[in-house]
């Protein structure tokens, strides 16, 4: 993976740092620190993170840590006084203070520049006090995008996977979205043993209330689908219509297949957050087998910034236990259900269960193996055009 920030280009596979077009010599630990910072950006890299990922848990002195940070600054043309590229948060750690572009070498040089997007990030609290980060972009009638796995409010704006969809969904609309608890910019310190789909629906409700949304449509994908269904059953008067994409009504554990849950949890625990881990790449490939190398690299990168390995594993356990079949008959709004025919993460049978149980549902099957909607998929434009058509009917 290649990272570009400030006037630097960091080629992780080739162990090469370029600054202003010139190669810069880097000691291995300094280079590893730069990769760690770029991978996590703009999140903070704690000193414990550095010891775990760079020194593999070996005890090192504070002076050694400080020396590596100073050397990393020097390598990228920064210093401890300016901290224009690498910022220190006293007693906590360091972070990149500049935006990061990721992709292949060709993609970085050839990628067209995107217009600046005015995104406003705010915070609110869920019913149990969990802090939630939410954002709005665009103007017009509202659309709430339910919080899903593999997201980060800031990083999604630079993602070749999510940014094109955000642009379409916010065109002529006020798009409201949020990072689910335990992920992105929302509270990470969460006891998932106490979390249920009802709590996740509380999170959606808290964001809708904070954004001042009265009656509004919802877009939900994957595990955010049962969250949207739970909210719509709870408040049928507030939901005007829903788009439910590659979702589920019963998780693998709830439908008597706990081994599927445990297989995914094991993959996550084996490689989440470890650069170049085959397990991370395997997870990304399961979610989007029909994707470009740039999109695949972005999905690997999103894993590292969206959640810790423990949170990612526990979220997957929560999803496995979800069962919202008994709420379908309480939902009265029009619903567009879409599912990829070859989805290996959530079976299309789950969406067919939804279509049978909902009062006013359209079902569409799409010829794709992707669980996540990526722009390179031949169905992408047709799918988002269907989004617009369905939403326009309600507007």
């Amino acid at each position: 993976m290649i990272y570009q920030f400030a006037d630097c280009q960091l080629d992780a596979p080739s162990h090469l740092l370029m600054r202003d077009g010139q190669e810069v010599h880097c000691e291995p630990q300094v280079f590893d620190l730069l990769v760690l910072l770029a991978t996590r950006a703009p999140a903070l890299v704690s000193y414990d993170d550095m010891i775990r990922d760079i020194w593999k848990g070996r005890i090192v002195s504070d002076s050694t840590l400080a020396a590596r940070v100073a050397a990393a600054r020097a390598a990228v043309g920064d210093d401890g006084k300016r901290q224009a590229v690498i910022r220190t948060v006293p007693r906590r750690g360091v972070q990149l203070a500049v935006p990061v572009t990721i992709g292949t070498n060709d993609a970085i040089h050839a990628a067209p520049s995107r217009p600046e997007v005015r995104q406003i990030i705010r915070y609110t609290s869920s019913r149990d006090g969990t802090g939630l980060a939410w954002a709005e972009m665009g103007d017009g009638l509202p659309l709430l995008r339910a919080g899903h796995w593999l997201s980060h409010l800031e990083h999604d704006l630079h993602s070749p996977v999510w940014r094109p969809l955000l642009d379409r969904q916010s065109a002529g609309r006020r798009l409201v979205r949020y990072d689910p608890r335990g992920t992105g910019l929302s509270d990470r310190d969460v006891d998932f043993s106490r979390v249920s789909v009802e709590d996740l629906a509380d999170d959606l409700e808290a964001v809708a209330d904070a954004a001042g949304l009265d009656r509004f449509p919802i877009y939900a994908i994957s595990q955010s689908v049962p969250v949207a269904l739970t909210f719509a059953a709870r408040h049928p008067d507030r939901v005007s219509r829903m788009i439910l994409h590659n979702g589920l009504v019963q998780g693998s554990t709830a439908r008597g297949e706990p081994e599927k849950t445990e297989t995914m949890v094991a993959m996550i625990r084996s490689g989440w957050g470890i650069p170049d881990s085959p397990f991370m790449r395997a997870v990304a490939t399961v979610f989007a087998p029909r994707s470009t190398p740039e999109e695949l690299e972005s999905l690997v990168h999103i894993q590292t910034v969206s959640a810790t390995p423990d949170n990612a594993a526990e979220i997957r356990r929560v999803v496995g236990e979800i069962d919202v079949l008994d709420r379908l008959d309480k939902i009265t709004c029009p619903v567009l259900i879409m599912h990829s025919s070859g989805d290996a993460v959530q079976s299309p049978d789950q969406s067919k269960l939804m279509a049978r149980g909902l009062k006013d549902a359209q079902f569409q099957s799409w010829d794709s193996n992707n669980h996540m909607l990526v722009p390179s998929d031949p169905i992408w434009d047709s799918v988002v055009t269907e989004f617009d058509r369905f939403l326009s009917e309600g507007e």
Side-chain angles (χ1 to χ4, degrees), residues 92-106:
R92 294 189 59 195
V94 292
Q95 64 189 152
L96 280 184
V98 291
V100 177
T101 301
I102 62 172
T104 63
N105 194 33
D106 290 340

Side-chain angles (χ1 to χ4, degrees), residues 122-135:
R122 296 187 173 93
Y123 276 85
T124 190
S125 295
S126 193
R127 192 186 306 272
D128 63 1
T130 301
L132 302 170
W134 65 279

Side-chain angles (χ1 to χ4, degrees), residues 142-146 178 201 204-206 208-209 213-220 224-244 327-328 330-336 358-360 390-391 394-395:
L143 171 64
L144 190 147
R145 180 180 171 121
Y178 61 96
L204 188 155
E205 183 171 348
D209 290 345
L213 303 182
D214 181 19
R215 183 171 170 80
F216 53 93
I218 297 175
Y219 168 78
S224 68
V225 167
V227 176
L229 289 168
T230 300
F231 176 82
R234 185 188 295 175
H235 299 292
D237 57 319
R238 296 189 66 177
V239 183
S240 58
R241 41 187 58 211
M242 290 192 292
I243 299 171
L244 306 180
R327 293 158 211 202
L328 299 182
K330 301 178 179 64
I331 296 168
T332 57
C333 68
V335 180
L336 174 61
L358 293 168
K359 294 181 174 67
D360 186 2
F390 183 73
L391 291 173
E395 293 167 352

